[in-house]
Each structure stands twice: as structure tokens, then as C-alpha cells.
Amino acid sequence: MRAAKQHRHVMMIGTPGTGKSMLAKAMSQLLPKESLQDVLVYHNPDDSNEPKVRTVPAGKGDQIVEAHQEEVRKRNQMRTFLMWIVLAVVVGYAFLVEGAILLGILAAGIIYFAFRYSNRGSDAMIPKLLINNADRQTAPFEEATGAHAGALLGDVRHDPFQSGGMETPAHERVEAGAIHKSSKGVLFIDEINTLDVRSQQHLMTAIQEGEFGITGQSERSSGAMVHTEPVPCDFIMVAAGNMDAMENMHPALRSRIKGYGYEVYMDDTIDDTPEMRRKFARFVAQEVERDGQLPDFTPDAVREVILEAKRRAGRKDHLTLELRNLGGLVRVAGDIARSKGNEMTEREDVLEAKNRSRSIEQQVADNYIERRKDYQLERSGDEAVGRVNGLAVMGGDSGIMMPVMAEVTPRQGEGGEIYATGKLQEIAQEAVENVSAIIKKYTGESIANKDIHIQFVQSYEGVEGDSASITVATAVISALEDIPIAQDLAMTGSLSVRGDVLPVGGVTHKIEAAAKSGCNRVIIPKANEQDVMIEDEYKDQIEIIPVSHISEVLDIALVGEPEKDSLVDRLKNITGGALEKGSAGAQSGSPSPQ
């Protein structure tokens, strides 16, 4: 609102579907329509290739063109009347006086074409209405995403007949660009970095000067010879894109925007408040009305859409702002209700739509997970040494269980090494290295004479992130101490070098994956406790155990009373009684997962 009122340019950076174009349209609604202008292009009698430009208040352009057309029409009527008189005199003289019929017909033809040819120049007297804002109720909004130079900056049409009296006047061939049509309004360009460098440079000039002359954009066209006087382009530019847009954007253009406006990073979530929930309910109603073919949603159906907005946010007490995708869910749910012949869209329709409206990437991930179940490594008994049920996310919101195994062997090299396999990416590899500090601290023994092998089982697509840190630490400590781990348990969580369990992303989908795989319990970071929004069908299937320290993880995961109690007692001595103190202090400064 401030940018619109102060006439400032804006660059919006954020994920797709977060309302960048919607905000740009809203800005155009706030601009005064009283300042709108019509733009006329006139023939220049001194140089036809330099048409003149004139601006008038909105609505006056039509009147001026009509006045010129009326003047030309009257002039043509007079010339036509005069032509018929001359023809009548010449033909009458040839027929009646000279008796030369053929000569009379020839003279009449010559006179007729002479009048018609000389009459062509009168069309040049009529100006072209380049920009017509007469019927606009709001300031213009022009979307120029991916526009070529002519569509963005204006162009001059090619004239194949450039002489012989058949040519089209230059000013008639002038076409306005998006920068001119959006004058006194908003010019919206998404993926601003995709514009070619030349267009970005010209756009810079238009922003700086507030006017830009129109010329032919093709060097081989006759339009390239035409160049109008400067045409007003006093627009507010809203440039949008993802983070990579800033890398490929012309630095001088970005400097113009920053110097005359704002750079804004678009949040993809917003606080979950009663007021915001009412706005989301209004959003559902607007999508139904805008589509025009969907049945209205029941209150329960609207609540389910809002719950899905909360799930997609992935943060506690937040709602997603990726409204385009959420609007897709609304439309699919309405289509399902319509196919059933229902008068209203019910909650069950929304639940069904959640499965049908998944992206292609998500469907591929689900298909991969489903096929993988045919060859999934089964758990061997209720407990196992060095084996932990880890959890991961694929495709954005498909959870999958990924076992992690650890084995300790005598040293084969000069010093003890940690080997990790499973196509680990950089962050995951660093997480494994950090776990070594935990191992050295809590096992109470030197590992210099041992090699530790860690395997992420069936991780064909690789491992990203550090959310398997507590899984790796638990598996290795179990192997070192030869203490079994409960196999009805799954876990996820990052780990600091001091043993604090840090929050991770996708915790809801990971819990659901654990439940689908038959686990009875799942360990998650305490900081993620408020992020859990699992479907109702899984709530009674699995127990969720929030933890804040690796000592708590080991106390829950390890089995075998004598050995386990001895290790836990040793951990208490090392950590200063972390089990009794809990996690409030340890997690108070923990960052939220990104």
C-alpha cells in the first residue's frame, strides 16, 4: 500500500504461488484513475518517419480522433462532389461537342484516379489513438512476463508497400508496448531475469526518464526507420522472481528499483490467528466464485482446507501462503463433489482431493516409495544391535522409513576412521563427522583402534540434510557398546556436537511414514512438537516421543537393563544429569528448521 501511494517500484522475491501477481494487481486498484491519459500519434509533415506524440486526459482521445475523422469525411465528400461535377462536364463535352466517346471515357478515368490518388493523403490527417483509457475504472495493470522486445517496449509494423501511394502512414503503424500501456498504473514482470539484456537496459531508461520513444524492433523492417517522439511511461514496476532472479538480473536495473523503491522477500507462511483463518475461509469462497463451476464448501470442508494450509506450512502456529497450490486443492475438491452430484463440497471431498491433487514430483516419489516396499528390508526380531529405523522425506511431503546400520571393526589403517555409504550429500556427510564427537564423548572409550562403518540402507536417491544425526549416533553407540535397539521405534532429529537434539523439517510426514511401516513409537525433536499435524487415522497407531538430548534418545531406544543402565548412568555423569533437567534450557535457542 505504501509503495502504491508513494509511487515506488517494488521487487518481490519468493517461492512461486505466494501471491506476487495478486499483490501487483492490488497495487493498481489503489492508484488514482483520475490521472490517466490518452496518447495520440500524429503524422509529422516535416518528416513522416518521426511521428508526433500528444497526451490528453482520459476519454478525450476518442473525441479528438472522431473530430478529425468527421473533418476528413466532410472534406472527402466535398472532393467527391467536385469530382463528379468535373467528370460530368468532361464527359458531356466529349460526347455532345466533340463526339469523341472513347476520348471522353479515357479522360473520365484519368480524372477519377487522379482524385482518388490525391485523396489518399487525407488519411494521414487522422491521428492514431495509441493508448485509450476512456473506459478504465481502475489504473492499468499490464503483465509483461516473458514479453519480447516489441511487446514490452513498443514496435512499428512493417510496411511492404513503401512507395507509389500505397504505403501506410508511419504513425498508423506505431504500436504501444507494455511500458506505455501501463503508464499511471502497474507493470508486472515475473522472472525478471529472463528478459534479454537489451530489454533490461531500455527498461532502465524508461524507469529513469518516465518516457520512451517507439521504434521498430526488427533491424530489417521498414519500421526501424520510424522513431516517435517520447511516449509517456510513468509506471510503477513490480519485478518478481525466485532467489536466482537476482543473480542474472542486470545490476543497474536492480539498482534503479532499489534506488526508487523497495526490495521485498515474500514469506511463504503466516501466523495462524483467528483473523487469518477467517481470511483463508474468504479465500476459499473467492476461489469458488471465481471458478464459477464449483459447489459451495461446507464449514467442515473449509476447516479441512485450513488444516491442510497448516500442514503445508511445516511450522508450528503458521499457515502456508502458497495460495496457488491451495487453490488447486479447492478446485479439485469441488470437481470431486460435482462429479458425485453433491450440492455442497464436503470434508470427505477435500480429503480425497488431497491425494488427487499431488504434484507430478510427488506422484513420482509416492510411486517410488510404493515400489520400494516390495524389496524393503524387514526387521529381524524386536531388537537389533547397530540398526535404527531412520526417517526421511521425498518429493516434498512423502515420508519414507530408511534404516541405518552401523558396524565396528578393528582398525585397518593408521588411525580409526568413520566410513559412511549411501550417496551422502555435503550436509549429511558433515553431520556424520559431527556425530563422531558425540561418540567419543559418550562411549567413554578411545576409537583410535577401531573403524566405524555406517550404511544408509537403500538410499538410492542419496541423503541430504542432517535430520538423521540422532539415528547415526544411536546406531554407532549401540554397535560400540553391543547394546540392542528396539525395532518398533523410529526416529528423526538433528544433533549438535554437544548432544542437543535440534529441530528438523517434514516431521509430520516422517511420523506418518513410521506409522505406515508398522512402528509403534517415534522419537522427534521437542522443538518440533508443535509442528506435528498428522492425519486422524494415524493418531492411535503411533506414540510420539519428543526429546531434547541424545541421552534421552538412548534411554528410550536401547534395550537390555544391565548394559543400558550402566551406559545411561555414565551419560548422566558426563552430561551433568541431562535426563533430569529436561530440554527447556538446551532448546531455548534452537533455530527453526528451514
Side-chain angles (χ1 to χ4, degrees):
M1 183 179 295
R2 186 184 302 118
K5 289 184 176 180
Q6 297 298 112
H7 205 80
R8 305 297 188 211
H9 303 295
V10 181
M11 182 165 71
M12 300 181 185
I13 300 298
T15 55
T18 51
K20 296 186 284 290
S21 61
M22 180 180 66
L23 288 175
K25 288 180 181 178
M27 288 178 65
S28 67
Q29 304 290 323
L30 299 173
L31 295 173
K33 68 172 184 177
E34 291 78 12
S35 61
L36 296 181
Q37 296 176 321
D38 290 343
V39 179
L40 297 160
V41 182
Y42 287 82
H43 170 69
N44 185 349
D46 297 327
D47 187 347
S48 62
N49 285 329
E50 294 184 4
K52 294 182 175 295
V53 174
R54 178 187 174 191
T55 58
V56 295
K60 295 292 184 181
D62 273 332
Q63 299 175 14
I64 293 174
V65 171
E66 289 175 1
H68 279 81
Q69 288 175 338
E70 181 64 21
E71 180 181 349
V72 169
R73 187 181 65 80
K74 290 180 178 178
R75 185 177 302 173
N76 288 342
Q77 285 180 342
M78 182 62 67
R79 292 172 64 88
T80 302
F81 179 72
L82 179 61
M83 178 189 71
W84 287 117
I85 291 177
V86 173
L87 284 175
V89 171
V90 170
V91 172
Y93 179 80
F95 283 13
L96 301 178
V97 178
E98 299 292 336
I101 300 176
L102 291 178
L103 181 63
I105 295 175
L106 179 61
I110 294 173
I111 294 172
Y112 176 81
F113 283 108
F115 268 90
R116 298 295 294 178
Y117 182 81
S118 62
N119 191 43
R120 291 182 56 83
S122 62
D123 293 339
M125 302 298 294
I126 304 175
K128 178 177 181 178
L129 184 56
L130 190 67
I131 306 292
N132 185 4
N133 288 315
D135 299 326
R136 282 196 177 275
Q137 301 302 315
T138 60
F141 172 84
E142 290 291 327
E143 182 168 353
T145 301
H148 59 80
L152 177 67
L153 306 171
D155 206 348
V156 179
R157 288 181 283 110
H158 175 68
D159 184 8
F161 304 103
Q162 301 178 36
S163 61
M166 301 181 67
E167 68 275 7
T168 302
H171 74 286
E172 285 286 346
R173 295 184 281 120
V174 175
E175 301 291 342
I179 62 173
H180 308 108
K181 296 175 183 177
S182 60
S183 187
K184 304 299 181 181
V186 174
L187 175 70
F188 177 71
I189 304 179
D190 202 359
E191 304 299 337
I192 180 69
N193 55 309
T194 60
L195 284 180
D196 63 77
V197 174
R198 182 171 174 269
S199 293
Q200 291 191 48
Q201 291 173 333
H202 288 316
L203 194 56
M204 248 185 330
T205 303
I207 292 174
Q208 184 76 28
E209 303 297 333
E211 57 184 16
F212 193 84
I214 300 175
T215 187
Q217 294 299 322
S218 174
E219 296 178 354
R220 298 183 179 182
S221 168
S222 62
M225 299 294 295
V226 179
H227 196 290
T228 71
E229 292 181 342
V231 179
C233 53
D234 184 21
F235 55 82
I236 295 176
M237 189 174 84
V238 178
N242 301 323
M243 290 300 295
D244 62 345
M246 296 183 294
E247 299 176 5
N248 300 321
M249 186 177 176
H250 196 295
L253 176 58
R254 184 181 175 189
S255 176
R256 291 287 195 285
I257 297 174
K258 193 172 182 179
Y260 296 92
Y262 304 93
E263 289 187 347
V264 178
Y265 179 75
M266 301 290 293
D267 290 331
D268 54 7
T269 63
I270 197 168
D271 292 338
D272 182 9
T273 63
E275 175 63 22
M276 195 52 59
R277 288 188 170 223
R278 284 192 290 271
K279 291 182 178 180
F280 266 76
R282 188 185 308 160
F283 165 77
V284 174
Q286 288 173 342
E287 290 296 301
V288 171
E289 182 178 358
R290 183 183 305 170
D291 188 273
Q293 302 180 41
L294 304 178
D296 292 334
F297 278 54
T298 64
D300 286 342
V302 173
R303 292 188 191 98
E304 188 59 37
V305 173
I306 296 174
L307 177 60
E308 181 63 16
K310 188 172 182 179
R311 282 170 53 88
R312 294 186 181 187
R315 295 179 60 189
K316 57 186 177 183
D317 301 325
H318 279 74
L319 298 167
T320 183
L321 283 177
E322 295 185 7
L323 301 179
R324 185 178 299 138
N325 291 339
L326 202 63
L329 175 66
V330 170
R331 280 180 281 278
V332 173
D335 290 343
I336 292 173
R338 180 71 71 190
S339 66
K340 294 178 180 178
N342 297 340
E343 294 183 359
M344 301 283 286
T345 303
E346 305 287 346
R347 177 176 177 270
E348 290 72 18
D349 301 321
V350 178
L351 293 175
E352 186 177 345
K354 287 165 66 174
N355 291 324
R356 293 193 181 183
S357 63
R358 300 169 82 81
S359 67
I360 294 296
E361 294 82 0
Q362 200 57 53
Q363 294 177 47
V364 171
D366 290 343
N367 186 46
Y368 169 79
I369 293 172
E370 190 63 31
R371 285 188 288 109
R372 179 177 159 171
K373 289 180 180 179
D374 297 336
Y375 306 98
Q376 185 171 323
L377 185 63
E378 298 295 335
R379 299 196 303 266
S380 55
D382 296 331
E383 57 188 54
V385 174
R387 185 190 189 281
V388 182
N389 295 317
L391 298 169
V393 172
M394 290 184 62
D397 60 358
S398 288
I400 183 173
M401 193 159 78
M402 181 181 295
V404 174
M405 293 186 178
E407 188 67 48
V408 179
T409 63
R411 183 189 67 183
Q412 297 295 320
E414 295 181 358
E417 298 286 346
I418 295 180
Y419 302 94
T421 59
K423 294 179 66 176
L424 274 63
Q425 304 299 318
E426 184 176 355
I427 296 178
Q429 186 68 45
E430 291 176 354
V432 171
E433 294 173 3
N434 290 337
V435 165
S436 63
I438 306 296
I439 295 168
K440 295 172 184 177
K441 181 175 182 179
Y442 296 131
T443 58
E445 61 180 279
S446 173
I447 61 172
N449 296 322
K450 301 175 181 178
D451 287 337
I452 299 175
H453 298 262
I454 303 167
Q455 180 185 14
F456 289 77
V457 181
Q458 295 179 318
S459 61
Y460 309 122
E461 302 299 317
V463 178
E464 298 181 9
D466 61 349
S467 63
S469 298
I470 66 169
T471 309
V472 172
T474 303
V476 172
I477 292 174
S478 167
L480 283 170
E481 299 288 336
D482 196 29
I483 302 176
I485 300 168
Q487 295 301 295
D488 69 332
L489 176 74
M491 63 180 68
T492 183
S494 182
L495 197 61
S496 75
V497 293
R498 294 190 172 184
D500 299 318
V501 179
L502 306 178
V504 295
V507 64
T508 294
H509 309 296
K510 293 176 180 178
I511 294 172
E512 292 178 349
K516 292 177 184 177
S517 299
C519 292
N520 300 321
R521 299 176 296 161
V522 61
I523 292 176
I524 66 169
K526 188 170 182 62
N528 284 123
E529 191 173 7
Q530 297 301 316
D531 297 335
V532 177
M533 289 166 283
I534 63 175
E535 300 283 4
D536 293 340
E537 60 182 294
Y538 302 116
K539 290 182 178 179
D540 296 331
Q541 296 182 21
I542 195 163
E543 177 187 358
I544 301 171
I545 308 172
V547 299
S548 58
H549 199 270
I550 185 61
S551 55
E552 297 175 70
V553 177
L554 296 174
D555 188 37
I556 297 166
L558 299 180
V559 296
E561 292 301 326
E563 298 85 355
K564 170 186 169 182
D565 292 343
S566 174
L567 177 60
V568 171
D569 289 339
R570 190 159 74 244
L571 291 174
K572 287 182 181 179
N573 293 331
I574 296 172
T575 61
L579 288 175
E580 287 81 11
K581 291 181 180 179
S583 63
Q587 289 295 324
S588 59
S590 300
S592 298
Q594 299 301 317

